[in-house]
């Protein structure tokens, strides 16, 4: 089970769009329990991944505006090589509604395949049980969400809500809330 306090800390950085601080905090936490692993995760070059995310956001934003979509939700799968997709959602509820089921309500035709990241996936611990596993997994999530946020700040050209999360995450991260 993913520790909610860690996700809450990620959520605070996302709300402030402080992508560098997001990565830095979780790198530090990981470094405290496993400095070697933290260094390995920090050394993963995400330049190409961000380029692929930029292409995905470009395609998704054009489709979303044309198809009268209410929000776009991007999801990556921790258990499957970080496979990802953008979902064009016909419904959206703000965070205050405490109901993110809208993100699972989409037409399969409204899914745009996104990039994978085998390098990040290779460090994923699967279990969220011990301090080292939790710290490593949260750092991986933080790097992924920060990368998506950085790209969104550059490439998300609509006022539609843009959200992100990993597969089976209960509450999604609002990268860009409704305007």
């Amino acid at each position: 089970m993913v520790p909610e306090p860690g996700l809450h800390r990620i959520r605070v950085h996302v709300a402030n769009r402080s992508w560098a601080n997001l990565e830095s905090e979780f790198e530090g936490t990981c470094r405290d329990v496993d400095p070697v692993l933290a260094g390995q995760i920090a050394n993963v070059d995400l330049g190409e991944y961000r380029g692929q995310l930029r292409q995905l956001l470009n395609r998704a934003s054009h489709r979303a505006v044309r198809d009268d979509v209410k929000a776009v939700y991007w999801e990556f799968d921790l258990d499957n090589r970080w496979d990802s997709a953008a979902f064009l959602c016909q419904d959206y509820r703000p965070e205050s509604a405490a109901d993110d089921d809208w993100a699972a309500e989409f037409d399969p035709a409204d899914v745009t395949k996104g990039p994978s990241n085998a390098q990040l996936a290779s460090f994923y611990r699967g279990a969220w049980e011990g301090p080292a596993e939790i710290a490593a997994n949260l750092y991986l999530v933080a790097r992924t969400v920060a990368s998506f946020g950085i790209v969104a700040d550059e490439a998300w050209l609509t006022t539609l809500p843009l959200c992100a999360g990993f597969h089976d995450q209960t509450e999604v991260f609002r990268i860009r809330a409704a305007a």
Side-chain angles (χ1 to χ4, degrees):
M1 178 178 209
V2 182
E4 185 54 39
L7 292 182
H8 173 72
R9 291 187 356 246
I10 291 174
R11 196 171 311 288
V12 169
H13 290 291
V14 169
N16 293 323
R17 290 165 58 174
S18 54
W19 311 121
N21 291 339
L22 170 58
E23 282 197 60
S24 176
E25 177 181 339
F26 286 92
E27 178 182 3
T29 301
C30 188
R31 198 169 292 285
D32 288 346
V33 294
D34 192 334
V36 171
L37 180 59
Q40 292 171 327
I41 294 170
N43 286 330
V44 173
D45 181 359
L46 296 177
E48 183 178 337
Y49 185 63
R50 288 180 182 166
Q52 293 167 339
L53 288 172
R54 191 170 289 106
Q55 291 173 358
L56 172 68
L57 283 179
N58 189 333
R59 289 190 317 268
S61 66
H62 283 94
R63 284 190 62 205
V65 170
R66 185 182 67 228
D67 294 346
D68 196 32
V69 167
K70 300 290 188 251
V72 174
Y73 171 59
W74 176 71
E75 180 178 274
F76 59 101
D77 192 338
L78 303 171
D79 295 312
N80 291 299
R81 295 184 26 209
W82 251 241
D83 288 350
S84 72
F87 302 88
L88 305 182
C89 301
Q90 298 300 321
D91 192 13
Y92 174 77
R93 289 184 278 292
E95 191 168 19
S96 61
D99 178 7
D100 284 337
D101 287 343
W102 62 266
E105 299 167 8
F106 57 89
D107 183 330
D110 291 336
V111 177
T112 304
K113 186 178 178 346
S116 300
N117 194 305
Q119 284 185 289
L120 291 176
S122 71
F123 296 112
Y124 180 57
R125 296 301 190 229
W128 293 78
E129 296 170 3
E133 291 83 10
I134 291 170
N137 293 344
L138 286 171
Y139 183 29
L140 290 165
V141 169
R143 285 212 72 198
T144 305
V145 171
S147 290
F148 188 75
I150 288 166
V151 170
D153 282 351
E154 300 166 356
W156 191 243
L157 303 176
T158 81
T159 58
L160 291 173
L162 177 65
C163 300
F166 53 86
H167 185 68
D168 288 336
Q169 182 175 336
T170 306
E171 295 178 33
V172 302
F173 300 120
R174 273 139 177 100
I175 304 298
R176 294 281 183 93

